[in-house]
Amino acid sequence: MAESSLKATAVSRLDGIQRMLSTTPEGEKHVLTASNQTGRAMVLNRPKALNSLTMPMVESIQRNLRDWEGSDLCDLIILKSNSPKAFCAGGDVVQVSREWKSGNRPGAMKFFQNEYQMNHHIATLKKPMVAILNGYTMGGGVGLSVHAPFRVANETTVFAMPETKIGFFPDVGASFFLPRLDGQTGVYLGLTGQMLKGRDLLYAGIATHYVPSERYPMLEQRLLGLGTSDFDAVNAAIEEFVAQPEDSHIDYSLAEVRDAIDTCFQYNTVEAIVQALEETVKAANPTVTTWAQTTLKQLSQMSPSSLKLTLEQLRRGAQLNIQQTFAMELGLAEKRLQSHDMHEGIEALLVRKSNDAQWDPATLDEVDVEALGAEYFKPEYQYKPGFVHDVAFSEYPH
């Protein structure tokens, strides 16, 4: 075939693909699917926005989960990203804030309802799901992955729950999973938004496996062709690709400050935590001293009301089952959308790209924790998440 004819054929095919994409619903464009034998995969495909979750994406993911869970032709589900920079950097809270401020409050709340329902569905899925993480895995991206029984990180994976910096609180089931991390690690991560990278996720209990990125294609091929929904078999297949540290040294970035984390974050008031950190600045160990100074600076940048709300949320979440935590978070989300700080934090950090948010109240002393508790924590809330499976456990089953 002549070169000009080949070019014409290629252009024609490209035009066809572009026409197809132009008429494809947004959710399906941003959540691609693939299948191989009895394996199914969803591929997050919104790279310019670091795969931040929109309502159509949430609906598309949930639709696929329902279809595949009910299909005898599907044994295993993979969730991954097509972006080297991000698995998913969070939910599209900028759009949620705009919806709320424009008067479409039910529309804003619908996003959280659908998202939390999806998170709970992942946690209670009857078939094995493997989240293959790379790059930024934050906020809503954590909710997409942390509830799955298998969570694979690589050297590029970056975890964070930075919600207190936008005047919100760690949601997507953080009330359940953060308090169940080792010691006070989850409270530390939830209040400060501290990032963890690579093997850190494995050592902290956020990832179940560590696989170098160059092995990801082989891992995916192995899983998609596995042909079983046996959880032990899936685990064994992933274990074939894991990488151990080159020496016996555990390169966990929090290792040297783990005791200090437990000491400082054991308290039930933010003021007591701050006081403990101020005392820890005087520690003989320079690494611990530097950590305490950095942590104090981190906390000083966060919304004071978000900090107090988050601490109470996590303490309560430790005693709740997974359904109760999502119900609580949906109620907290509605109340937080009524606050000044959430919209101010989103506007400052995500729209203006600055760290100049003007919090109200501006200091911890101005936040009355008893009044905050009475306002936010109710026995019943107006909005209910709704659950695909009526399953409520207090510890992850896998």
Side-chain angles (χ1 to χ4, degrees), residues 76-130:
L76 174 145
I77 298 169
I78 289 176
L79 182 60
K80 55 176 283 190
S81 161
N82 71 346
S83 167
K85 292 183 178 180
F87 171 75
C88 172
D92 192 352
V93 291
V94 172
Q95 181 59 34
V96 172
S97 176
R98 287 172 178 163
E99 291 275 359
W100 183 271
K101 290 190 293 187
S102 73
N104 184 15
R105 297 188 171 190
M109 285 303 299
K110 187 67 174 174
F111 174 82
F112 289 120
Q113 278 183 303
N114 288 6
E115 184 181 28
Y116 297 173
Q117 183 186 86
M118 173 190 67
N119 297 148
H120 182 269
H121 193 178
I122 290 170
T124 58
L125 202 63
K126 297 174 183 177
K127 294 180 178 178
M129 176 172 165
V130 183

Side-chain angles (χ1 to χ4, degrees), residues 245-258:
E246 294 181 1
D247 53 42
S248 59
H249 175 68
I250 296 178
D251 54 343
Y252 183 24
S253 68
L254 300 182
E256 202 167 346
V257 297
R258 274 294 293 108

